[in-house]
Amino acid sequence: MKPRTEKFRICEYAILTAVTATVFLLCTCMGSVSIALSDTVRVIGLQLRGAAIPEALQSTVNILWTVRIPRVICVALSGAALSLCGGAMQGLLKNPLADGSTLGVSSGASLGAVIAIAFGIQIPGFAMGGTMILSVGFAFLSLLLILSAAYKLDASLSTSTVVLIGVIYSMFTSSLINLVITFAGDKVRNITFWTMGSLQGSTYANAAFLAGALVVFGLPVLTRAGELNAFSVGEDNARNVGVNVKSVKMVVLVCVSALIGVCVSIGGTIGFVGLVTPHMTRFLTGPNHRKLLPASMFFGACFLMAADLVARTMLRPLDLPIGVVTSFVGSLTFLAIFYSSRRERAS
Amino acid sequence: MRKGNKIVAAALLLALTVFALWGCGSPGGSQQGERTDGALVVTDMKGREIVLDAPASRVVALTASDCEIIYALGAGDCLVGRGEYCNYPEEALQVTEVSSGTETNLEQILALQPEVVVMNAMDQSEEQVEALEKAGIQVVINAASTIEETYRSMEIIGALVGREEEASAMIDSMKQAFAEVAEHREDGEERTVYFEVSPLEWGLWAAGDNTFMNEVAEMMGLTNIFKDVDGWAAVSEEQVLQRNPDYIVTVAMYFGEGVTPVEEIMSRPGWEELTAVKNGKLLNLQNDELSRPGPRLAEGAKLLYEMVYGEE
């Protein structure tokens, strides 16, 4: 048997990309409105070449090119970003249950977004600026708050302490969200739907922003995969092998909260993706973060695209909140993984 | 064949009894507020009988539509408490606010010492209703889901506050208004309408079948593009583009800043090709005209009618 290499080789990346591209195409061809495969291909071809659109295809172009494709791209990028965050936090905190939703970071980010929407905090010239900045800020503050509270109680940041504090914090923020909604009245009546996660109305601008955030905040995390490997043995171990513990921690935490904040401000809170995909990926790649993190991004994109496909098509012409699907599938998958890994360890 | 005759006779007797009982059971909508032995008897939507000595002078209305009906009947003075969502007419905002729906708070209601509480049947529990009745407060359940039922709820409230004549005048004027908008219905051309309840930003919600919007649309010969959906539901944006409505009605609120709900819809990518957007046939109903079983349904219907047939 060949020894496992530290990183993915190019051909392995090619396979991952091909899988993701296939899922992407599948999700583009299927949707609430059925469009013939030949029309789909024709429209994409015409658009890519910048050719004129025949009158008969105009409504297909609108549905496919203006509505469906940007949504699928946003879904894929959100899935990738959230899974990267989950994988990185699980390594950094040496905690298999760490994730934006279990730690309360996502709910902190939604609190920021709800405040921005309810009080009309806007940045001139940048449509979603207020929402985005507040949710990123709140995500970061929440993470700091939760982790420092957990440190005070238990310096080893054990699973149960962190998750307990995360759960309590989530409840706290959701009560604050309800309070804000009560005060702001009619203006945010509809926010309740949005907090379940909605990527309807995604635009290419949203997609570009997500992609930018993924490059700016994702790369620093990916390049610290080696340090995360040291962390997942233990923080002391990381210090002993010469990792600058404080700086790595800070970089990862800032990047993770920025990514979660951006995702929440665009698509609402989408639970369970960041928690489940790194675990599923670990079965294939093993625990090495050099492989785990990039692979998690690909699988996270695929998982969320598939979940969104179910949300879009299951109850045609209705559109389910994507959070319903991810939480449903995610919690079942998670239980299955949890039990099978326990059984393996026991035997 | 004596035995057979007996059976036939028994069956006949049974049928007669059932028929008679059935006849008794059907609540007569027109007999509201009839006085027997000086008492005022009102039968509510659940067929419960409410007996009052005289028209009520202290009423709490939990539902926005009931609150509107009371004001429209000119009986606003007898309202001592209103549910939190009762925001029309403006005078109603001066009345003490109480929690409603699943958060109905009995203490708040008891403190106002009403004679009658008018509520919807959906959210309050049987126990809450019983507790109010034990405290000597009459509970009237009013839950209209069609325009016909709305008329009945107007009769009930009219009888409760001693304004039967005003109530029947209100019903007549609504019927008149609906008859006017119904005139255009047969011209052979199919016209489709899309009712947007929640904007794209928060995830689209549309009004489907079994809504007042749908009922009013059908009345004037419009086809709701989401007739295959029941009630209010989250629908797919792709479906709206595919079904290409001729008219769009949004109930989104406008707060006097930024783009209006109509402008927002017109600026959505991909929506510019919709017939409604091309022809500028969009209507913003800001004040729940077509969402509540109240007297303003007729106003909402007129506004919709004007958009559809106004310039022809």
Side-chain angles (χ1 to χ4, degrees), chain B residues 5-6 11 58 79 105 110 135 150 155 157 183 185 187 232-233 272 298 312:
Chain B
N5 283 341
K6 257 187 190 169
R58 296 182 67 81
L79 204 65
N105 185 330
L110 292 176
T150 306
E155 283 170 356
I157 292 177
E183 269 172 20
R185 56 177 299 145
D187 65 351
W232 288 13
E272 64 277 355
E312 283 172 22

Side-chain angles (χ1 to χ4, degrees), chain A residues 31-33 58 62-63 66-68 117 186-187 189-191 193-194 198 200-201 203 312 316-319, chain B residues 198-200 202-205 228-229 233-239 241-243 253 255 257 269-270 272-273:
Chain A
S32 189
V33 171
Q58 193 56 54
N62 270 332
I63 292 172
T66 324
V67 171
R68 193 181 293 170
I117 294 162
D186 290 332
K187 204 168 176 181
R189 209 172 12 173
N190 294 323
I191 269 182
F193 307 138
W194 172 81
S198 164
Q200 258 200 23
T203 58
R312 284 186 292 141
R316 268 186 273 224
L318 305 185
D319 199 289
Chain B
S198 161
L200 188 59
W202 314 130
L204 290 182
W205 279 63
D228 54 339
V229 168
V235 294
S236 160
E237 185 184 359
E238 292 179 8
Q239 294 285 348
L241 296 183
Q242 164 90 351
R243 297 175 186 206
M253 295 262 224
F255 300 92
E257 53 187 67
E272 64 277 355
E273 293 296 323

Side-chain angles (χ1 to χ4, degrees), chain B residues 123-173:
Chain B
D123 299 317
Q124 289 83 6
S125 65
E126 300 251 334
E127 287 79 8
Q128 285 178 315
V129 173
E130 272 170 30
L132 283 172
E133 282 173 340
K134 264 187 199 150
I137 297 171
Q138 303 273 15
V139 176
V140 176
I141 292 175
N142 227 358
S145 55
T146 61
I147 291 173
E148 204 54 49
E149 283 173 2
T150 306
Y151 296 152
R152 248 198 88 202
S153 78
M154 288 170 172
E155 283 170 356
I156 291 170
I157 292 177
L160 271 181
V161 297
R163 306 249 172 179
E164 290 98 331
E165 278 173 29
E166 286 87 341
S168 61
M170 189 159 78
I171 294 165
D172 287 342
S173 89

Side-chain angles (χ1 to χ4, degrees), chain A residues 35-110:
Chain A
I35 297 172
L37 189 62
S38 58
D39 281 350
T40 310
V41 175
R42 230 179 113 201
V43 165
I44 294 176
L46 286 171
Q47 284 285 357
L48 289 180
R49 275 184 278 129
I53 303 295
E55 191 63 26
L57 276 178
Q58 193 56 54
S59 94
T60 315
V61 169
N62 270 332
I63 292 172
L64 199 70
W65 193 261
T66 324
V67 171
R68 193 181 293 170
I69 293 182
R71 173 168 174 169
V72 178
I73 296 176
C74 281
V75 166
L77 291 169
S78 302
L82 291 171
S83 304
L84 176 68
C85 291
M89 291 219 278
Q90 286 162 16
L92 185 76
L93 302 176
K94 215 186 116 185
N95 186 333
L97 285 179
D99 167 45
S101 45
T102 51
L103 286 181
V105 187
S106 308
S107 41
S110 358

Side-chain angles (χ1 to χ4, degrees), chain B residues 19-143:
Chain B
F19 191 69
L21 282 176
W22 184 46
C24 292
S26 69
S30 54
Q31 286 156 19
Q32 291 294 355
E34 206 155 277
R35 283 158 207 264
T36 40
D37 311 329
L40 176 69
V41 182
V42 176
T43 311
D44 76 0
M45 295 270 213
K46 284 272 161 121
R48 303 156 73 256
E49 279 199 351
I50 288 96
V51 184
L52 292 169
D53 294 333
S57 58
R58 296 182 67 81
V59 179
V60 168
L62 293 184
T63 328
S65 52
D66 294 334
C67 177
E68 275 186 39
I69 294 173
I70 290 174
Y71 273 99
L73 292 174
D77 293 341
C78 70
L79 204 65
V80 293
R82 58 161 181 100
E84 53 192 324
Y85 297 111
C86 305
N87 56 2
Y88 193 93
E90 214 146 284
E91 300 108 276
L93 298 175
Q94 310 298 324
V95 176
T96 313
E97 179 181 314
V98 297
S99 303
S100 61
T102 46
E103 269 120 50
T104 300
N105 185 330
L106 294 186
E107 282 184 26
Q108 284 179 337
I109 296 174
L110 292 176
L112 296 169
Q113 298 177 314
E115 294 163 72
V116 176
V117 177
V118 187
M119 55 168 70
N120 192 300
M122 277 151 73
D123 299 317
Q124 289 83 6
S125 65
E126 300 251 334
E127 287 79 8
Q128 285 178 315
V129 173
E130 272 170 30
L132 283 172
E133 282 173 340
K134 264 187 199 150
I137 297 171
Q138 303 273 15
V139 176
V140 176
I141 292 175
N142 227 358

